[in-house]
């Protein structure tokens, strides 16, 4: 490959975990199984939310958005990753890499904002239950979800364009499983201080600030739950938040590890395993967590499944 500007690079080679071929075979099997679970679990959750009128509330509207987002996010990364695992060439086109990075950044950023919006919804439901239908009216919660998607897409577009216009000078071997922005920036042969600054700002705005808002919301939520007199009331109030809080811990724990910790020069194998957790394990667990921890979802699931089983009977 000739040395030159970014136009000289027409494809990238993804060599993440190439030093561990036996691990790649195991990861291929695990990722394939988890991807099928992600598609089935999140699709089932979306269908149940649509079909059961009792779930036509802001909380489940946001949950449906989260499930849809997880399907898109994993579909942008897992199928290409599976191809890379089984391919000897392990390459991806320049535009394919840009598209994969844009989708992963955009959908990941959207989830950060959406989880904060869901925390606000739980805050209003528990701390202001009588005013909840007035505050969380349809126009508001639809706009909140829409702006979550718009914010994620815009920040992703800026970061992707500013990365892909940089000169790579023939460096096209990415030490990662996907076209992840941190791994890609290591190939750039010019000053990336502006990119680092923008990434720091975006990480602060879309990781730290939403996490802070979630923390504040749960401080008020916990305070309200502790003031409830009956044990049954406390249990019911906590059950509506525990699933969301579990997802927040899983998502933000891996995301903060990926984007906020100091970076060494070379990509560590541990970073790539964490990236898999961030991009595969969490989306797989989301529908499981919400269905196991939520009585309304379990009842709606039983209702929908029993209805379809009755239709299949002769």
């Amino acid at each position: 490959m000739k040395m030159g500007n970014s136009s000289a690079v027409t494809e990238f080679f993804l060599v993440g975990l190439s030093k561990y071929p036996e691990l790649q075979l195991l990861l291929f099997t695990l990722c394939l199984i988890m991807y099928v679970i992600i598609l089935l679990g999140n699709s089932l959750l979306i269908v149940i939310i649509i079909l059961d009128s009792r779930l036509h509330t802001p909380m489940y509207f946001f949950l449906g958005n989260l499930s849809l987002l997880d399907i898109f996010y994993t579909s942008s990364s897992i199928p290409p990753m599976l191809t890379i695992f089984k391919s000897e060439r392990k390459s991806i086109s320049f535009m394919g890499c840009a598209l994969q990075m844009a989708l992963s950044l955009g959908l990941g950023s959207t989830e950060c904002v959406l989880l904060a919006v869901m925390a606000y919804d739980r805050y209003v439901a528990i701390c202001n239950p009588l005013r909840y239908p007035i505050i969380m009216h349809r126009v508001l919660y639809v706009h909140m979800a829409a702006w979550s998607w718009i914010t994620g897409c815009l920040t992703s577009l800026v970061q992707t364009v500013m990365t892909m216009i940089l000169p790579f000078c023939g460096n096209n071997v990415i030490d990662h499983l996907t076209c992840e922005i941190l791994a890609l920036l290591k190939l750039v042969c010019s000053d990336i201080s502006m990119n680092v600054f923008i990434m720091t700002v975006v990480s602060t705005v879309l990781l730290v600030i939403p996490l802070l808002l979630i923390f504040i919301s749960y401080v008020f939520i916990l305070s309200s739950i502790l003031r409830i007199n009956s044990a049954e009331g406390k249990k019911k109030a906590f059950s509506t938040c525990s699933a969301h809080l579990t997802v927040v811990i899983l998502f933000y724990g891996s995301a903060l590890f990926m984007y906020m910790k100091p970076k060494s020069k070379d990509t560590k194998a541990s970073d790539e395993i964490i990236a898999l957790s961030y991009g595969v394990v969490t989306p797989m667990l989301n529908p499981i967590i919400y269905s196991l921890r939520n009585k309304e979802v379990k009842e709606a699931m039983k209702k929908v499944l029993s209805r379809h089983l009755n239709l299949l009977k002769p």
Side-chain angles (χ1 to χ4, degrees):
M1 184 85 56
K2 292 182 179 180
M3 301 294 284
N5 58 22
S6 60
S7 62
V9 175
T10 58
E11 64 181 352
F12 292 98
F13 293 92
L14 299 164
V15 298
L17 298 178
S18 58
K19 297 177 182 177
Y20 312 96
E22 68 286 349
L23 185 59
Q24 288 197 7
L25 179 61
L26 174 63
L27 289 175
F28 174 86
T29 305
L30 290 176
C31 287
L32 180 59
I33 293 172
M34 288 189 287
Y35 183 52
V36 172
I37 295 173
I38 288 167
L39 294 180
L40 293 177
N42 284 287
S43 298
L44 179 61
L45 198 54
I46 292 172
V47 170
I48 288 171
I49 291 171
I50 293 173
L51 294 180
D52 197 311
S53 58
R54 294 174 300 174
L55 303 183
H56 293 175
T57 63
M59 173 181 167
Y60 295 107
F61 176 77
F62 293 136
L63 180 55
N65 273 263
L66 183 63
S67 292
L68 187 64
L69 188 151
D70 284 338
I71 291 173
F72 288 157
Y73 182 84
T74 52
S75 296
S76 71
S77 58
I78 297 181
M81 191 189 304
L82 295 175
T83 303
I84 293 297
F85 281 145
K86 300 299 290 182
S87 172
E88 293 184 4
R89 186 169 171 77
K90 302 184 184 303
S91 64
I92 185 172
S93 68
F94 185 91
M95 291 306 297
C97 186
L99 179 61
Q100 187 184 78
M101 185 170 69
L103 288 172
S104 62
L105 282 174
L107 295 170
S109 300
T110 300
E111 185 158 354
C112 290
V113 181
L114 190 60
L115 287 173
V117 166
M118 293 173 75
Y120 174 75
D121 172 69
R122 292 300 83 206
Y123 158 74
V124 177
I126 293 174
C127 299
N128 296 281
L130 297 179
R131 299 187 61 217
Y132 179 75
I134 300 172
I135 297 174
M136 294 300 296
H137 53 84
R138 182 176 178 80
V139 174
L140 177 63
Y141 69 74
V142 169
H143 275 77
M144 292 171 76
W147 277 107
S148 297
W149 288 87
I150 292 170
T151 302
C153 291
L154 289 178
T155 56
S156 168
L157 182 63
V158 171
Q159 290 190 85
T160 301
V161 170
M162 290 200 66
T163 299
M164 302 311 287
I165 62 174
L166 293 171
F168 293 98
C169 302
N171 298 325
N172 64 344
V173 179
I174 302 175
D175 189 13
H176 208 274
L177 294 169
T178 62
C179 287
E180 203 270 335
I181 187 170
L182 294 173
L184 202 61
L185 284 174
K186 293 177 182 178
L187 307 183
V188 175
C189 57
S190 65
D191 182 32
I192 61 170
S193 57
M194 180 56 70
N195 298 76
V196 173
F197 173 74
I198 291 174
M199 188 182 301
T200 303
V201 172
V202 170
S203 297
T204 302
V205 172
L206 296 182
L207 279 175
V208 179
I209 293 178
L211 186 58
L212 181 61
L213 293 175
I214 291 170
F215 176 76
I216 293 171
S217 296
Y218 274 101
V219 168
F220 285 106
I221 289 170
L222 182 60
S223 176
S224 295
I225 290 176
L226 292 176
R227 288 199 300 267
I228 297 175
N229 294 325
S230 68
E232 184 65 27
K234 288 181 179 179
K235 182 179 178 181
K236 183 178 179 181
F238 183 74
S239 67
T240 65
C241 302
S242 58
H244 174 260
L245 191 57
T246 304
V247 170
V248 166
I249 292 171
L250 287 171
F251 178 81
Y252 275 97
S254 53
L256 287 171
F257 182 90
M258 281 292 297
Y259 292 102
M260 299 301 288
K261 77 178 184 68
K263 292 291 169 182
S264 60
K265 184 177 180 181
D266 298 317
T267 301
K268 305 284 187 183
S270 60
D271 287 0
E272 296 179 48
I273 299 299
I274 290 295
L276 280 177
S277 171
Y278 169 73
V280 181
V281 178
T282 304
M284 180 190 69
L285 292 178
N286 283 353
I288 298 174
I289 291 169
Y290 276 103
S291 60
L292 291 178
R293 300 289 298 176
N294 194 297
K295 184 179 178 181
E296 291 176 320
V297 172
K298 285 191 287 187
E299 290 178 353
M301 192 176 295
K302 291 177 183 177
K303 180 180 177 182
V304 171
L305 290 176
S306 63
R307 184 189 304 168
H308 281 76
L309 288 174
N310 289 332
L311 291 175
L312 292 174
K313 289 182 180 179

